[in-house]
Amino acid sequence: MSVLITGVGAVAEQPRPDGEAPWFDPAAHLGRRGWKYLTPATRYLLAAGNEALGRRHDDPPLTGAAAERFGVVTGTQYAITRVHRRMDAVLTAEGVRGISPAEVPGFSMNTPGSQLAISTGARAFSVTLTNPVTAGLEAVHFAVTALRTGRADVVVAAAADQAPEDHGGGGEYDAAAAVVLSARGRTPGSAGVGRPLAEVTGVLSRFLPPAPAGDPDAAALERHAARIAALAPASGAVGLLVVAPPAAVPLALAVRDAVVKALAATGSAVRDPAEAVREARHCAVSGLLELVALARPGAGPALLISVSESGHLTATGIGDAVGPEFT
Protein backbone atom coordinates (compact mmCIF):
# COMPACT_ATOMS: atom_id res chain seq x y z
CA MET A 1 0.00 0.00 0.00
CA SER A 2 1.30 3.43 -0.96
CA VAL A 3 1.62 6.10 1.71
CA LEU A 4 1.46 9.72 0.58
CA ILE A 5 2.67 12.90 2.24
CA THR A 6 -0.27 15.26 1.85
CA GLY A 7 0.70 18.15 4.11
CA VAL A 8 3.74 19.59 5.87
CA GLY A 9 4.37 22.20 8.55
CA ALA A 10 7.37 23.42 10.51
CA VAL A 11 8.53 26.11 12.91
CA ALA A 12 12.20 26.30 13.87
CA GLU A 13 14.51 28.80 15.49
CA GLN A 14 17.57 29.85 13.55
CA PRO A 15 20.72 31.60 14.87
CA ARG A 16 20.14 35.34 15.29
CA PRO A 17 21.86 38.32 16.94
CA ASP A 18 21.22 38.93 20.63
CA GLY A 19 18.52 41.40 21.53
CA GLU A 20 16.04 40.60 18.75
CA ALA A 21 12.42 39.80 19.46
CA PRO A 22 11.50 36.20 20.32
CA TRP A 23 11.42 34.03 17.21
CA PHE A 24 8.02 32.44 17.99
CA ASP A 25 4.84 34.43 18.58
CA PRO A 26 2.15 32.08 19.98
CA ALA A 27 -0.68 34.47 19.17
CA ALA A 28 0.27 34.56 15.50
CA HIS A 29 0.09 30.79 15.27
CA LEU A 30 -2.51 29.82 17.88
CA GLY A 31 -4.75 32.84 18.32
CA ARG A 32 -5.18 34.95 21.44
CA ARG A 33 -6.43 32.31 23.85
CA GLY A 34 -5.92 28.75 24.99
CA TRP A 35 -2.13 28.49 25.08
CA LYS A 36 -1.01 30.47 28.15
CA TYR A 37 -0.26 27.39 30.30
CA LEU A 38 1.06 25.20 27.49
CA THR A 39 4.80 24.49 27.39
CA PRO A 40 6.83 26.09 24.57
CA ALA A 41 7.38 22.72 22.86
CA THR A 42 3.61 22.11 22.93
CA ARG A 43 3.01 25.49 21.31
CA TYR A 44 5.54 24.72 18.58
CA LEU A 45 3.93 21.35 17.90
CA LEU A 46 0.44 22.81 17.68
CA ALA A 47 1.70 25.42 15.21
CA ALA A 48 3.46 22.87 12.98
CA GLY A 49 0.68 20.28 13.15
CA ASN A 50 -2.10 22.70 12.32
CA GLU A 51 -0.04 24.19 9.49
CA ALA A 52 0.46 20.72 8.02
CA LEU A 53 -3.28 20.09 8.16
CA GLY A 54 -4.18 23.46 6.69
CA ARG A 55 -6.28 24.42 9.69
CA ARG A 56 -6.25 26.88 12.57
CA HIS A 57 -5.79 25.92 16.20
CA ASP A 58 -9.23 27.32 17.06
CA ASP A 59 -11.02 25.48 14.23
CA PRO A 60 -13.51 22.82 15.41
CA PRO A 61 -11.89 19.40 15.86
CA LEU A 62 -12.88 16.43 13.74
CA THR A 63 -15.81 14.31 14.88
CA GLY A 64 -17.44 11.07 13.84
CA ALA A 65 -15.89 8.50 11.48
CA ALA A 66 -13.16 10.87 10.26
CA ALA A 67 -11.91 11.38 13.82
CA GLU A 68 -11.94 7.63 14.52
CA ARG A 69 -9.65 7.02 11.51
CA PHE A 70 -7.25 9.87 12.28
CA GLY A 71 -4.15 9.44 14.46
CA VAL A 72 -1.23 11.43 15.87
CA VAL A 73 2.27 10.18 16.66
CA THR A 74 4.93 12.50 18.11
CA GLY A 75 8.67 12.12 18.52
CA THR A 76 10.69 14.12 21.03
CA GLN A 77 13.92 14.14 22.99
CA TYR A 78 13.95 17.19 25.23
CA ALA A 79 10.41 18.58 25.01
CA ILE A 80 9.84 18.79 28.77
CA THR A 81 13.39 18.82 30.18
CA ARG A 82 13.22 22.52 31.04
CA VAL A 83 9.82 22.03 32.66
CA HIS A 84 11.21 19.28 34.87
CA ARG A 85 14.22 21.34 35.90
CA ARG A 86 12.14 24.42 36.67
CA MET A 87 9.62 22.40 38.71
CA ASP A 88 12.45 20.72 40.59
CA ALA A 89 13.96 24.09 41.44
CA VAL A 90 10.59 25.49 42.58
CA LEU A 91 9.79 22.44 44.69
CA THR A 92 13.21 22.57 46.33
CA ALA A 93 12.95 26.29 47.13
CA GLU A 94 9.23 26.77 47.80
CA GLY A 95 7.61 23.36 48.09
CA VAL A 96 4.49 22.22 46.31
CA ARG A 97 2.74 25.54 46.97
CA GLY A 98 5.00 27.13 44.36
CA ILE A 99 3.61 24.98 41.54
CA SER A 100 0.52 26.24 39.71
CA PRO A 101 -2.08 23.48 39.12
CA ALA A 102 -2.49 24.79 35.57
CA GLU A 103 1.16 23.98 34.83
CA VAL A 104 1.19 20.43 36.20
CA PRO A 105 0.02 18.69 32.98
CA GLY A 106 3.15 20.01 31.28
CA PHE A 107 5.17 17.61 33.42
CA SER A 108 4.22 14.67 31.17
CA MET A 109 6.20 13.79 28.01
CA ASN A 110 2.86 12.91 26.38
CA THR A 111 1.47 16.43 26.76
CA PRO A 112 2.59 17.98 23.41
CA GLY A 113 1.24 15.12 21.30
CA SER A 114 -1.91 14.83 23.39
CA GLN A 115 -2.66 18.52 22.95
CA LEU A 116 -2.27 18.18 19.18
CA ALA A 117 -4.64 15.19 19.20
CA ILE A 118 -7.19 17.15 21.27
CA SER A 119 -6.92 20.21 19.03
CA THR A 120 -7.43 18.25 15.82
CA GLY A 121 -9.86 15.64 17.13
CA ALA A 122 -7.64 12.62 16.43
CA ARG A 123 -9.24 9.55 18.04
CA ALA A 124 -7.51 6.59 16.35
CA PHE A 125 -4.47 6.95 18.63
CA SER A 126 -2.06 9.45 20.16
CA VAL A 127 1.44 8.03 20.68
CA THR A 128 4.68 9.64 21.89
CA LEU A 129 8.15 8.25 21.08
CA THR A 130 11.15 9.47 23.05
CA ASN A 131 14.36 8.03 21.57
CA PRO A 132 17.26 10.48 21.18
CA VAL A 133 17.77 12.01 17.72
CA THR A 134 15.80 9.39 15.79
CA ALA A 135 12.36 9.94 17.35
CA GLY A 136 11.13 12.30 14.61
CA LEU A 137 11.66 9.79 11.80
CA GLU A 138 10.48 7.00 14.12
CA ALA A 139 7.15 8.85 14.24
CA VAL A 140 6.99 8.49 10.45
CA HIS A 141 7.85 4.79 10.79
CA PHE A 142 5.03 4.29 13.30
CA ALA A 143 2.58 6.23 11.14
CA VAL A 144 3.40 4.28 7.98
CA THR A 145 2.96 0.98 9.86
CA ALA A 146 -0.40 2.15 11.23
CA LEU A 147 -1.61 3.13 7.77
CA ARG A 148 -0.45 -0.10 6.14
CA THR A 149 -2.08 -2.26 8.81
CA GLY A 150 -5.38 -0.40 8.63
CA ARG A 151 -5.31 1.27 12.05
CA ALA A 152 -5.96 4.69 10.49
CA ASP A 153 -6.53 6.42 7.16
CA VAL A 154 -4.68 9.64 8.01
CA VAL A 155 -1.87 10.19 10.53
CA VAL A 156 0.05 13.28 11.56
CA ALA A 157 3.67 12.29 12.24
CA ALA A 158 5.28 15.09 14.21
CA ALA A 159 8.21 16.04 16.42
CA ALA A 160 8.88 18.84 18.88
CA ASP A 161 11.85 19.77 21.04
CA GLN A 162 13.15 22.49 23.29
CA ALA A 163 16.72 21.67 24.24
CA PRO A 164 17.89 22.22 27.83
CA GLU A 165 20.09 25.19 28.62
CA ASP A 166 23.25 23.10 28.79
CA HIS A 167 22.79 22.25 25.10
CA GLY A 168 23.09 25.86 24.10
CA GLY A 169 20.06 27.51 25.69
CA GLY A 170 18.62 30.70 24.31
CA GLY A 171 16.08 28.89 22.15
CA GLU A 172 18.36 28.13 19.20
CA TYR A 173 17.49 24.44 19.31
CA ASP A 174 13.72 24.94 19.56
CA ALA A 175 11.64 23.46 16.73
CA ALA A 176 8.65 21.41 15.66
CA ALA A 177 7.73 19.77 12.37
CA ALA A 178 4.83 17.68 11.12
CA VAL A 179 3.86 15.72 8.03
CA VAL A 180 0.40 14.45 7.17
CA LEU A 181 0.53 10.86 5.91
CA SER A 182 -2.41 9.33 4.06
CA ALA A 183 -3.07 5.87 2.67
CA ARG A 184 -3.56 5.93 -1.09
CA GLY A 185 -6.93 4.48 -2.06
CA ARG A 186 -8.70 5.35 1.17
CA THR A 187 -11.16 8.21 1.54
CA PRO A 188 -9.49 10.92 3.65
CA GLY A 189 -12.80 12.23 4.94
CA SER A 190 -12.64 15.75 6.35
CA ALA A 191 -9.17 15.54 7.85
CA GLY A 192 -7.89 18.53 5.92
CA VAL A 193 -5.74 16.44 3.56
CA GLY A 194 -4.36 18.33 0.56
CA ARG A 195 -2.85 17.19 -2.72
CA PRO A 196 -0.05 14.61 -2.52
CA LEU A 197 3.39 16.18 -2.21
CA ALA A 198 5.50 13.01 -2.17
CA GLU A 199 5.32 9.30 -1.49
CA VAL A 200 6.97 7.42 1.37
CA THR A 201 8.51 4.45 -0.43
CA GLY A 202 9.68 2.65 2.68
CA VAL A 203 10.72 2.95 6.33
CA LEU A 204 13.25 1.05 8.42
CA SER A 205 14.61 1.10 11.97
CA ARG A 206 17.75 -0.80 12.95
CA PHE A 207 20.45 -0.85 15.64
CA LEU A 208 24.07 -0.92 14.52
CA PRO A 209 26.15 -2.70 17.17
CA PRO A 210 29.79 -1.71 17.61
CA ALA A 211 32.63 -4.10 16.91
CA PRO A 212 34.98 -5.02 19.79
CA ALA A 213 37.33 -2.17 18.83
CA GLY A 214 34.48 0.33 19.02
CA ASP A 215 34.04 0.87 15.28
CA PRO A 216 30.74 -0.04 13.61
CA ASP A 217 30.36 -3.76 13.01
CA ALA A 218 31.29 -4.06 9.32
CA ALA A 219 29.01 -6.97 8.50
CA ALA A 220 26.00 -5.39 10.23
CA LEU A 221 26.70 -2.05 8.52
CA GLU A 222 26.75 -3.73 5.12
CA ARG A 223 23.47 -5.55 5.80
CA HIS A 224 21.72 -2.44 7.07
CA ALA A 225 23.03 -0.35 4.15
CA ALA A 226 21.60 -2.86 1.69
CA ARG A 227 18.22 -2.69 3.41
CA ILE A 228 18.30 1.11 3.40
CA ALA A 229 19.27 1.23 -0.28
CA ALA A 230 16.26 -0.97 -1.05
CA LEU A 231 13.99 1.82 0.25
CA ALA A 232 14.95 4.02 -2.70
CA PRO A 233 12.05 4.11 -5.18
CA ALA A 234 14.04 3.49 -8.39
CA SER A 235 17.48 3.28 -9.92
CA GLY A 236 19.18 6.47 -11.07
CA ALA A 237 20.17 9.57 -9.12
CA VAL A 238 19.13 9.44 -5.46
CA GLY A 239 19.41 12.16 -2.85
CA LEU A 240 20.95 11.07 0.44
CA LEU A 241 20.86 12.82 3.80
CA VAL A 242 22.26 11.41 7.05
CA VAL A 243 21.34 13.50 10.10
CA ALA A 244 23.41 13.02 13.26
CA PRO A 245 24.55 14.89 16.39
CA PRO A 246 28.22 15.94 16.50
CA ALA A 247 29.24 12.92 18.58
CA ALA A 248 27.76 10.57 15.97
CA VAL A 249 29.28 12.18 12.86
CA PRO A 250 31.96 9.45 12.44
CA LEU A 251 29.20 6.84 12.48
CA ALA A 252 27.10 8.92 10.08
CA LEU A 253 30.01 9.10 7.64
CA ALA A 254 30.40 5.32 7.80
CA VAL A 255 26.67 4.90 7.16
CA ARG A 256 26.85 7.32 4.23
CA ASP A 257 29.74 5.43 2.61
CA ALA A 258 28.03 2.08 3.09
CA VAL A 259 24.72 3.29 1.63
CA VAL A 260 26.49 4.91 -1.35
CA LYS A 261 28.18 1.57 -2.02
CA ALA A 262 24.92 -0.35 -1.63
CA LEU A 263 23.09 2.01 -3.99
CA ALA A 264 25.85 1.66 -6.58
CA ALA A 265 25.34 -2.10 -6.49
CA THR A 266 21.69 -1.56 -7.49
CA GLY A 267 22.53 0.83 -10.32
CA SER A 268 21.81 4.04 -8.41
CA ALA A 269 24.14 6.96 -7.74
CA VAL A 270 23.98 9.50 -4.92
CA ARG A 271 23.61 13.13 -5.81
CA ASP A 272 26.40 15.11 -4.07
CA PRO A 273 27.53 12.54 -1.44
CA ALA A 274 30.00 15.04 0.04
CA GLU A 275 27.04 17.05 1.39
CA ALA A 276 25.09 14.06 2.65
CA VAL A 277 25.89 14.35 6.39
CA ARG A 278 24.23 17.15 8.37
CA GLU A 279 24.19 18.07 12.05
CA ALA A 280 21.06 17.28 14.03
CA ARG A 281 20.98 20.74 15.58
CA HIS A 282 17.24 20.60 16.28
CA CYS A 283 17.46 17.36 18.26
CA ALA A 284 14.74 14.82 17.45
CA VAL A 285 13.05 17.30 15.09
CA SER A 286 16.05 17.42 12.73
CA GLY A 287 15.13 14.42 10.60
CA LEU A 288 11.54 15.54 10.23
CA LEU A 289 12.62 19.06 9.23
CA GLU A 290 14.70 17.51 6.45
CA LEU A 291 11.70 15.40 5.39
CA VAL A 292 9.54 18.52 5.17
CA ALA A 293 12.15 20.05 2.84
CA LEU A 294 12.29 16.91 0.68
CA ALA A 295 8.51 16.49 0.45
CA ARG A 296 7.91 18.74 -2.51
CA PRO A 297 6.81 17.86 -6.04
CA GLY A 298 9.72 17.19 -8.35
CA ALA A 299 12.30 16.85 -5.58
CA GLY A 300 13.19 13.41 -6.84
CA PRO A 301 13.88 10.16 -5.00
CA ALA A 302 15.78 10.44 -1.72
CA LEU A 303 16.86 8.50 1.33
CA LEU A 304 16.77 10.22 4.71
CA ILE A 305 18.52 8.67 7.71
CA SER A 306 18.75 9.68 11.37
CA VAL A 307 21.69 8.28 13.34
CA SER A 308 22.08 8.44 17.11
CA GLU A 309 25.31 8.17 19.07
CA SER A 310 24.18 4.77 20.39
CA GLY A 311 23.96 3.34 16.87
CA HIS A 312 20.22 3.57 16.27
CA LEU A 313 19.38 4.12 12.59
CA THR A 314 15.99 5.22 11.28
CA ALA A 315 15.61 5.54 7.51
CA THR A 316 12.86 6.81 5.22
CA GLY A 317 12.61 6.55 1.44
CA ILE A 318 10.89 9.41 -0.41
CA GLY A 319 9.70 9.53 -4.02
CA ASP A 320 7.47 11.64 -6.21
CA ALA A 321 3.73 11.14 -5.74
CA VAL A 322 2.42 9.64 -8.98
CA GLY A 323 -0.77 7.87 -9.97
CA PRO A 324 -4.30 8.39 -8.62
CA GLU A 325 -4.54 10.39 -5.42
CA PHE A 326 -7.54 9.01 -3.53
CA THR A 327 -10.68 7.08 -4.29
Side-chain angles (χ1 to χ4, degrees), residues 141-160:
H141 190 294
F142 186 102
V144 169
T145 301
L147 291 166
R148 288 178 173 172
T149 56
R151 291 185 60 191
D153 294 333
V154 180
V155 181
V156 175

Side-chain angles (χ1 to χ4, degrees), residues 34 46 63 156 195 198 206 242 253 255 260 274 310 326:
L46 288 170
T63 58
V156 175
R195 291 180 58 83
R206 290 290 185 274
V242 185
L253 292 170
V255 170
V260 168
S310 66
F326 300 104

Side-chain angles (χ1 to χ4, degrees), residues 13-275:
E13 168 63 309
Q14 300 296 329
R16 56 174 30 190
D18 293 339
E20 291 193 12
W23 71 276
F24 184 81
D25 178 9
H29 291 277
L30 307 178
R32 293 290 175 183
R33 300 184 177 202
W35 49 262
K36 179 178 179 181
Y37 295 107
L38 299 178
T39 64
T42 301
R43 299 173 187 176
Y44 308 154
L45 187 66
L46 288 170
N50 284 302
E51 179 186 344
L53 287 163
R55 69 187 297 276
R56 291 175 51 86
H57 176 57
D58 53 3
D59 285 346
L62 289 175
T63 58
E68 297 292 339
R69 301 293 297 165
F70 177 39
V72 170
V73 55
T74 304
T76 189
Q77 181 175 353
Y78 294 116
I80 61 171
T81 300
R82 293 192 190 186
V83 176
H84 282 182
R85 292 183 178 180
R86 191 189 65 78
M87 284 188 171
D88 182 68
V90 171
L91 287 169
T92 301
E94 305 177 35
V96 71
R97 294 179 182 274
I99 302 294
S100 167
E103 297 178 284
V104 172
F107 185 83
S108 171
M109 187 68 81
N110 296 318
T111 295
S114 296
Q115 287 292 337
L116 180 59
I118 292 168
S119 171
T120 58
R123 296 181 64 85
F125 53 80
S126 176
V127 176
T128 298
L129 307 172
T130 58
N131 283 331
V133 184
T134 61
L137 290 189
E138 284 183 87
V140 176
H141 190 294
F142 186 102
V144 169
T145 301
L147 291 166
R148 288 178 173 172
T149 56
R151 291 185 60 191
D153 294 333
V154 180
V155 181
V156 175
D161 257 326
Q162 184 188 32
E165 289 84 347
D166 55 8
H167 280 66
E172 64 265 30
Y173 286 83
D174 297 2
V179 296
V180 182
L181 299 170
S182 307
R184 191 196 298 272
R186 295 195 194 138
T187 302
S190 56
V193 176
R195 291 180 58 83
L197 303 174
E199 180 180 352
V200 176
T201 57
V203 291
L204 177 145
S205 182
R206 290 290 185 274
F207 178 73
L208 183 59
D215 296 328
D217 181 273
L221 179 58
E222 183 178 358
R223 290 195 305 270
H224 294 344
R227 293 289 300 274
I228 292 171
L231 302 179
S235 61
V238 177
L240 176 63
L241 283 178
V242 185
V243 182
V249 166
L251 177 58
L253 292 170
V255 170
R256 177 202 63 183
D257 294 344
V259 173
V260 168
K261 181 179 178 180
L263 284 167
T266 67
S268 296
V270 172
R271 301 189 300 265
D272 201 3
E275 300 297 324

